[in-house]
Amino acid sequence: MANQQSANEPIFVDLHDNSKPAEIESMCMKCGENGTTRLLFTKIPHFKEIIIMAFECPHCGFRNNELQSAGAFNEKGQIITCRVSDKEEDLNRQLVKSDFASIKFEELDLEIPPNRRRGLLTTVEGLIGNAIEDLEAGQPVRKYENEEVYNAIEKILEKLRAYQEGKEAFTLTINDASGNSYVENKCLPAQDPKLSTKWYKRNAEQDEMLGLQHPQEEEDKKKEEDADQVPEIMSFPANCSHCNAPSTTNMHVLDIPHFKEVVIMATNCEHCGYKSNEVKAGGPISAQGKRITLNITDPEDLSRDILKSETCGLSIPEIDLELTPGTLGGRFTTVEGLLKQVHDELEERVPFMHGDSTTEASRARWTAFLDKLSKVADGQIIPVTLILDDPLSNSYLQNLYAPDDDPEMTTVMYDRDWETNESLGLNDMKLENYQSETK
């Protein structure tokens, strides 16, 4: 019975759990004597599973700690940029740096490459301290062998110490091909003006670094197949994003009246019960962006069909809700269903909002925001304004008076600026006379 109970216990526990870490005797790399390595399989609340390792040698006093991600890789890589200008607030930001993330101090043009054997759960100040410690380690030898290099590194160390003491502002960039790094948002539920995240598609070299297979010719062959031979609903194997167990994803092509053709994908995991759906818009790229504004004045407005593409941003000014493009991916549901999905995702996936990693004031502000969002979804707070801003015009909101104009809904087409086209990769696309440059 004891073996059966232990087999049913979870491998990963919450940070606030009282489970003790496993202890392993291992050799100290500094003095050669035996020390103790402690392993803890844990979870950052609403983020990911991680493995925390801490080593301590009782003979020479050497200590070391590392972090490894135990979850699956994200579908895309990420670049996190953080502007550090406040000593008390910014230097105390908590961050997770995965094994595959590189760190760059922009003003110094100093980049720390990925270290597959060293993930970190620390603060911005702690990250600077680690960089100083690594650079100082070889300084005595450099002073003897090459004094010019020694003096150049000393200047860098002076800058880093000024950063650590909060005397100078700087910009920190984390480039993580695995997408498993995170920097704490100090302004939740609003966007942090000092923090920005950009997602990108990994190249073949980055996939190889992660040990993944880069997609090549298989997608092109599928597109060339005769459309008549493709079944109405296609199924293909995948892994659940929550429990990583094998699951099935169904795909269907749907023509929305008065809009365009879209692809709907739905996943239902039989192991953990997780369900999700995503929508991809088909057809060419629109020449203009679209901004849809809906005045929700009646609970019936919450039953409107809505298609939010993965490039669409969503906001409700009355409750200070603002979702950047890419949040939640593509969704095809009702207004009520979308708002509840936003509520559930924010409640489950925002790190550092539980345990002792946040203040009571931040937790109370976050709880009040989620309560307002829930009341809007239930029709208890009316009227409110729902704004969809899609630079690719791939989003849709049902017009209850079609084909006539909807008095509660306005649609504005606008020209995209250069920065928006750059973020979407449109500035590098050339559709005319592109063969003349190759000759």
Side-chain angles (χ1 to χ4, degrees):
M1 291 294 293
N3 293 335
Q4 183 177 0
Q5 290 179 354
S6 61
N8 293 330
E9 292 179 355
I11 297 178
F12 295 92
V13 297
D14 293 330
L15 281 174
H16 55 75
D17 195 279
N18 294 324
S19 299
K20 295 183 178 180
E23 296 187 356
I24 301 174
E25 186 177 1
S26 54
M27 185 181 73
C28 176
M29 303 304 294
K30 191 170 185 180
C31 68
E33 298 290 340
N34 285 339
T36 303
T37 298
R38 294 176 174 84
L39 300 174
L40 181 62
F41 297 80
T42 185
K43 295 185 291 185
I44 296 179
H46 314 304
F47 185 52
K48 290 182 181 293
E49 295 87 358
I50 59 173
I51 303 174
I52 300 177
M53 297 175 287
F55 174 81
E56 182 177 1
C57 178
H59 302 281
C60 66
F62 175 69
R63 294 183 178 183
N64 186 29
N65 64 82
E66 294 183 13
L67 176 146
Q68 289 186 0
S69 175
F73 294 136
N74 206 298
E75 293 182 1
K76 295 183 178 181
Q78 64 179 166
I79 298 176
I80 304 175
T81 304
C82 180
R83 180 65 181 169
V84 180
S85 58
D86 185 270
K87 179 179 179 181
E88 297 295 331
E89 183 176 283
D90 294 334
L91 289 177
N92 289 328
R93 287 181 188 267
Q94 300 181 77
L95 62 85
V96 175
K97 186 195 84 69
S98 78
D99 307 353
F100 304 96
S102 65
I103 305 294
K104 185 174 183 180
F105 298 91
E106 297 292 345
E107 288 77 8
L108 279 176
D109 197 21
L110 172 65
E111 184 171 357
I112 304 173
N115 187 342
R116 298 190 185 183
R117 295 169 295 177
R118 193 173 184 184
L120 291 174
L121 171 59
T122 180
T123 62
V124 174
E125 182 180 5
L127 188 66
I128 301 173
N130 290 336
I132 294 175
E133 182 179 344
D134 291 342
L135 288 174
E136 286 179 338
Q139 280 297 82
V141 177
R142 295 190 192 101
K143 186 176 182 179
Y144 176 77
E145 294 181 347
N146 192 330
E147 190 170 354
E148 183 178 351
V149 175
Y150 168 83
N151 292 331
I153 294 180
E154 277 297 316
K155 292 181 180 179
I156 295 176
L157 287 172
E158 289 179 8
K159 279 285 188 181
L160 290 176
R161 294 189 187 101
Y163 292 168
Q164 191 178 33
E165 295 171 3
K167 296 179 180 179
E168 291 188 30
F170 64 96
T171 304
L172 179 71
T173 301
I174 301 178
N175 190 341
D176 187 2
S178 69
N180 286 339
S181 295
Y182 186 86
V183 178
E184 181 184 6
N185 183 345
K186 290 286 189 179
C187 299
L188 285 174
Q191 286 184 307
D192 195 326
K194 298 181 180 179
L195 200 63
S196 66
T197 303
K198 180 180 178 181
W199 297 90
Y200 63 87
K201 188 175 181 180
R202 289 188 291 264
N203 56 34
E205 183 180 352
Q206 290 170 327
D207 277 334
E208 183 178 356
M209 179 182 69
L210 299 177
L212 303 176
Q213 183 178 3
H214 190 66
Q216 299 175 347
E217 299 180 356
E218 294 184 3
E219 291 188 13
D220 296 335
K221 291 181 179 179
K222 291 181 180 179
K223 292 179 181 179
E224 294 176 358
E225 293 179 357
D226 189 1
D228 295 335
Q229 298 178 357
V230 177
E232 184 178 0
I233 297 180
M234 294 179 290
S235 300
F236 51 92
N239 287 342
C240 176
S241 60
H242 272 213
C243 67
N244 208 32
S247 60
T248 301
T249 297
N250 296 324
M251 185 174 71
H252 174 63
V253 179
L254 176 67
D255 187 14
I256 299 180
H258 310 292
F259 187 53
K260 60 171 66 176
E261 188 176 78
V262 298
V263 180
I264 300 178
M265 293 177 287
T267 302
N268 185 3
C269 181
E270 298 179 356
H271 297 272
C272 67
Y274 174 73
K275 296 181 180 180
S276 69
N277 65 81
E278 189 171 356
V279 179
K280 301 283 187 181
I285 296 176
S286 175
Q288 292 182 306
K290 179 193 294 184
R291 184 178 296 108
I292 304 174
T293 303
L294 173 65
N295 297 318
I296 302 178
T297 58
D298 189 273
E300 186 180 354
D301 291 326
L302 297 172
S303 63
R304 293 174 184 254
D305 290 334
I306 184 172
L307 167 63
K308 189 195 85 66
S309 75
E310 57 185 0
T311 59
C312 179
L314 181 148
S315 63
I316 300 179
E318 287 81 359
I319 61 172
D320 296 327
L321 171 66
E322 184 175 356
L323 299 183
T324 58
T327 307
L328 293 178
R331 289 290 187 270
F332 183 39
T333 177
T334 62
V335 173
E336 179 185 3
L338 180 63
L339 295 179
K340 289 186 176 180
Q341 288 179 10
V342 172
H343 177 278
D344 294 341
E345 289 286 332
L346 292 177
E347 186 178 37
E348 295 176 3
R349 300 206 173 196
V350 174
F352 307 124
M353 272 297 115
H354 294 263
D356 57 357
S357 61
T358 186
T359 62
E360 289 295 331
S362 298
R363 188 181 294 109
R365 186 171 66 250
W366 180 246
T367 303
F369 167 75
L370 290 179
D371 183 59
K372 289 181 181 179
L373 179 57
S374 179
K375 289 182 178 180
V376 172
D378 293 335
Q380 298 179 19
I381 298 181
I382 287 178
V384 292
T385 306
L386 175 67
I387 302 174
L388 300 176
D389 191 348
D390 192 344
L392 293 183
S393 298
N394 287 335
S395 296
Y396 164 82
L397 185 59
Q398 183 184 10
N399 180 354
L400 298 179
Y401 299 85
D404 298 328
D405 293 336
D406 192 326
E408 301 298 336
M409 185 171 69
T410 58
T411 302
V412 178
M413 306 298 294
Y414 63 91
D415 294 329
R416 293 185 292 267
D417 55 25
W418 188 92
E419 292 182 357
T420 302
N421 285 332
E422 182 69 12
S423 64
L424 296 171
L426 300 180
N427 290 333
D428 298 328
M429 296 177 64
K430 186 174 183 181
L431 304 179
E432 298 178 358
N433 301 324
Y434 54 89
Q435 292 182 341
S436 60
E437 296 183 0
T438 61
K439 294 181 179 180

